[in-house]
Amino acid sequence: MRPITLDVDPQGRRILSCDCGTIEIARASDWQEFTVEALDNDLAVVTCGRCDRNARLGQLDAEQEIPQSTW
């Protein structure tokens, strides 16, 4: 199981959550609690600002449709 997960609610809002309890809903691509570093192949390393855990997730760009995480 990944320490950080990405979900999409029925309204299409992206929600990042971490095992430490940090949860954030996307405001465009302006994440406050998480740091997002883009990688190749539409992946990104997402790091929690509270506990420094990280995970590789699908790219978090607002223009792209993001599938629900099953990790």
Side-chain angles (χ1 to χ4, degrees), residues 32-47:
Q32 301 295 312
E33 299 294 327
F34 294 89
T35 302
V36 178
E37 178 184 343
L39 300 174
D40 292 335
N41 301 322
D42 293 331
L43 293 175
V45 173
V46 179
T47 304

Side-chain angles (χ1 to χ4, degrees), residues 7-55:
D7 293 301
V8 179
D9 70 9
Q11 289 78 31
R13 295 177 293 198
R14 291 159 296 137
I15 303 167
L16 284 174
S17 58
C18 181
D19 285 347
C20 74
T22 301
I23 298 173
E24 185 174 4
I25 299 172
R27 293 172 186 84
S29 290
D30 187 22
W31 298 97
Q32 301 295 312
E33 299 294 327
F34 294 89
T35 302
V36 178
E37 178 184 343
L39 300 174
D40 292 335
N41 301 322
D42 293 331
L43 293 175
V45 173
V46 179
T47 304
C48 177
R50 184 183 297 175
C51 70
D52 290 329
R53 290 180 179 147
N54 62 47

